[in-house]
Amino acid sequence: MAIWVMIPESLSAVARNMIPTTNALLAAAVGTFVAEIGDKTELMGVVYGARFDAYFPAVVGLTAGSLMADIPAVLGGCWIGRRIDSDWLRYVAAGIFALQAGLIVAAF
């Protein structure tokens, strides 16, 4: 993983045209939907909907909880993105992955 992180990402012209770059709302919604499929959040929604037999309050509660968790991450990402060079961030991420791999190998 550490080596993979060091490779800068590049998109083909076809892939670049498929990504909505002008609509942050659409890009975030599609990306989050794809990332969250099968996540524990969906299981919580099923459990809350079944337990309380109330669809709308369960959806609103899960949405509010997701917003409370995601808003600081988005704001922090924007803040960090303006101040840190992406190459440096890649090096740090690669170092963290390499450190984790070393710790795991040392544990065995």
Side-chain angles (χ1 to χ4, degrees):
M1 190 70 163
I3 294 169
W4 177 72
V5 168
M6 292 298 294
I7 301 169
E9 292 193 22
S10 61
L11 295 173
S12 68
V14 174
R16 194 173 295 117
N17 291 334
M18 293 175 62
I19 297 175
T21 57
T22 58
N23 191 336
L25 177 64
L26 181 61
V30 170
T32 303
F33 176 77
V34 171
E36 293 289 332
I37 292 175
D39 190 21
K40 293 177 210 156
T41 308
E42 280 72 32
L43 296 176
M44 285 183 358
V46 170
V47 170
Y48 291 148
R51 167 78 170 93
F52 297 110
D53 195 28
Y55 173 77
F56 186 73
V59 169
V60 171
L62 287 170
T63 303
S66 294
L67 285 173
M68 287 188 287
D70 292 341
I71 287 175
V74 170
L75 294 176
C78 288
W79 184 80
I80 289 171
R82 284 191 218 111
R83 289 164 177 76
I84 296 177
D85 182 38
S86 63
D87 289 337
W88 187 83
L89 192 57
R90 253 196 347 267
Y91 299 140
V92 170
I96 291 171
F97 281 122
L99 177 66
Q100 289 175 339
L103 292 173
I104 290 170
V105 169
F108 289 109

